[in-house]
Amino acid sequence: MTPPRENHREDVIGRANVEDTPELLAYYDELDTLDTGALWTVANKIEPWEPASQSKPVLWRYNDLRAHVLRSVDLVTPEKAGRRVIYLNNPGRTDVSAAVGWIYAGLQVMHPGEVASAHRHSASAIRFIMEGSGAYTVVDGHKMTLGRNDFVLTPNGTWHEHGVSEDGSPCIWQDGLDIPFVNAMEANFYEVHPDLQQAVTYPVDDMTKTWGNPGLTPGGGDWDKGYSPLFKYEWEPTYDALTKYSAASEPSPFDGTLMEYVNPVTNGPVMQTMGASMQMLAPGQVTKAHRHTGSYLYQVAKGSGYSLINGQRFDWCERDIFCVPSWAWHEHGNTSQTEDACLFCLNDLPVIRALGLYREEAFGDNNGHQIT
Ligand code: GTQ
């Protein structure tokens, strides 16, 4: 960790530095009865020198969670539960049920033949498929079939339901939603579909076939919604793209080879509030530390390695999930000398960037590595 900067001391001129006296304390009590307060009693807290995330760096090991997630199948039905999900409860964010920052995440399990009813809400979601076969999601009449490491969007306001086909196997996927953020904006609406299920009104996987062709968009294709028409992003083309890009370029010292998933119409993020990326670490690759604003939830799509987050080491393997809170120092290492490692990342960068709040800093000392 770096020492506090000189201008970060609380006694510098211009920062609130008023000592309590009996008279002032009585005055504060009077203000309180009028639903008011003296700014200088809270100023240093509400205007910190730099972001002070309440989220803790956390690693959720799939090995620890999987049996508990599967157990929920014996305890509740999707009909009763609405969504049968075990959510990731960051110890610093339990008040808003967030996994990190303003991002919610959970592990949803479904057995073959099960369906979770259709609903829609102001929160946007992604699902990242972790295991099993036969999973599908229907979004506004478009049915998407889903395999391992695919991810699917259910953008705000779209009707969506999930299921697993009769001939599939038990499926577990990660849900990631901006529920805490939309609640913070006090803008969350929720509706159950009047028929509980929606009709599939387009050919299966039509959005991938229409919008998912590299370098080509449909002639006369027309899309002006705030989210990507490519509702599903498949693993194979993603891995193929990363393999080609890593062979053709130098990796970033901080991220290895990183590609962002984009809306093919705008080249911008997949949704207005949440973005996603996949990054590849070559065998043995170790990155340097940096930090930036925004909250990040990683899922290990392939391989094994470690991350140092604010000086704390987390060793991860395939299917583990970990978070990097805003402005936390982080660096990653692939511990295999033969296999690459791939990290899927869900983040709130679209919000951070749209509001002009993005900032980034490299760790300057110790050749760019945190001291642990
Ligand atoms: O599938 O729409 O994990 O609405 C939490 C809230 C999943 C969903 C969650 C949701 C969903």
Side-chain angles (χ1 to χ4, degrees):
M1 308 283 288
T2 43
R5 293 181 193 139
E6 199 44 25
N7 67 344
H8 284 198
R9 290 172 12 225
E10 297 299 347
D11 60 350
V12 292
I13 291 165
R15 284 300 266 191
N17 191 16
V18 180
E19 271 157 37
D20 285 343
T21 62
E23 191 182 14
L24 273 172
L25 289 173
Y27 174 59
Y28 299 152
D29 285 344
E30 278 167 40
L31 290 176
D32 191 46
T33 65
L34 299 168
D35 296 323
T36 55
L39 173 62
W40 61 88
T41 62
V42 296
N44 296 349
K45 178 166 165 249
I46 67 170
E47 295 188 288
W49 295 112
E50 56 186 33
S53 180
Q54 289 169 24
S55 306
K56 309 281 181 232
V58 182
L59 169 69
W60 289 272
R61 286 193 181 82
Y62 195 52
N63 204 20
D64 297 338
L65 290 184
R66 186 172 179 275
H68 293 284
V69 172
L70 290 172
R71 187 149 169 259
S72 69
V73 175
D74 302 326
L75 300 174
V76 290
T77 60
E79 291 79 31
K80 284 256 182 186
R83 295 289 188 263
R84 192 168 51 209
V85 178
I86 304 306
Y87 70 96
L88 307 181
N89 205 12
N90 189 298
R93 301 295 281 158
T94 54
D95 52 337
V96 291
S97 305
V100 61
W102 297 102
I103 297 175
Y104 157 100
L107 301 186
Q108 185 160 176
V109 56
M110 297 202 82
H111 267 210
E114 286 185 330
V115 191
S117 56
H119 67 196
R120 65 178 175 184
H121 36 64
S122 316
S124 295
I126 65 108
R127 343 241 145 231
F128 186 85
I129 309 301
M130 298 172 74
E131 66 169 89
S133 63
Y136 66 86
T137 285
V138 186
V139 178
D140 277 348
H142 301 274
K143 179 171 180 174
M144 265 79 58
T145 56
L146 301 166
R148 256 179 113 259
N149 287 346
D150 290 351
F151 89 96
V152 64
L153 311 180
T154 60
N156 66 348
T158 57
W159 291 113
H160 57 279
E161 69 216 63
H162 320 296
V164 175
S165 60
E166 293 281 356
D167 59 355
S169 61
C171 288
I172 299 179
W173 61 81
Q174 180 198 319
D175 293 326
L177 292 94
D178 55 12
I179 292 172
F181 174 71
V182 179
N183 285 341
M185 295 291 102
E186 301 180 336
N188 212 356
F189 293 88
Y190 186 104
E191 255 178 287
V192 174
H193 195 283
D195 305 326
L196 293 181
Q197 235 68 77
Q198 58 179 317
V200 175
T201 48
Y202 301 91
V204 172
D205 285 326
D206 69 308
M207 293 309 245
T208 307
K209 290 172 184 155
T210 305
W211 295 97
N213 301 302
L216 294 162
T217 59
D222 176 19
W223 187 265
D224 58 6
K225 302 214 161 86
Y227 48 84
S228 169
L230 183 54
F231 290 163
K232 172 174 68 161
Y233 293 77
E234 292 175 348
W235 166 240
E236 282 192 6
T238 304
Y239 187 68
D240 188 45
L242 280 166
T243 307
K244 287 180 186 152
Y245 179 40
S246 66
S249 63
E250 283 300 312
S252 142
F254 305 111
D255 294 316
T257 301
L258 183 145
M259 299 187 95
E260 294 195 37
Y261 292 96
V262 293
N263 174 340
V265 179
T266 62
N267 246 358
V270 293
M271 293 187 291
Q272 285 157 308
T273 50
M274 289 188 297
S277 62
M278 185 75 82
Q279 73 197 76
M280 180 186 268
L281 302 173
Q285 186 170 357
V286 168
T287 69
K288 292 190 173 190
H290 71 160
R291 62 180 175 181
H292 35 68
T293 47
S295 299
Y296 304 81
L297 191 67
Y298 290 88
Q299 149 114 221
V300 184
K302 182 172 183 288
S304 53
Y306 68 92
S307 298
L308 295 180
I309 307 169
N310 273 349
Q312 203 182 342
R313 180 173 167 130
F314 298 92
D315 283 275
W316 39 254
C317 61
E318 209 168 293
R319 302 278 77 110
D320 288 350
I321 299 172
F322 62 93
C323 66
V324 173
S326 186
W327 209 235
W329 294 113
H330 57 283
E331 61 195 273
H332 312 293
N334 179 354
T335 44
S336 168
Q337 297 304 318
T338 52
E339 234 202 279
D340 55 61
C342 293
L343 300 174
F344 174 76
C345 181
L346 175 69
N347 59 61
D348 58 5
L349 276 174
V351 175
I352 293 285
R353 287 196 175 123
L355 302 183
L357 299 173
Y358 188 75
R359 251 213 227 194
E360 189 176 347
E361 188 174 273
F363 193 89
D365 307 334
N366 195 34
N367 198 25
H369 294 288
Q370 296 161 80
I371 300 135
T372 51

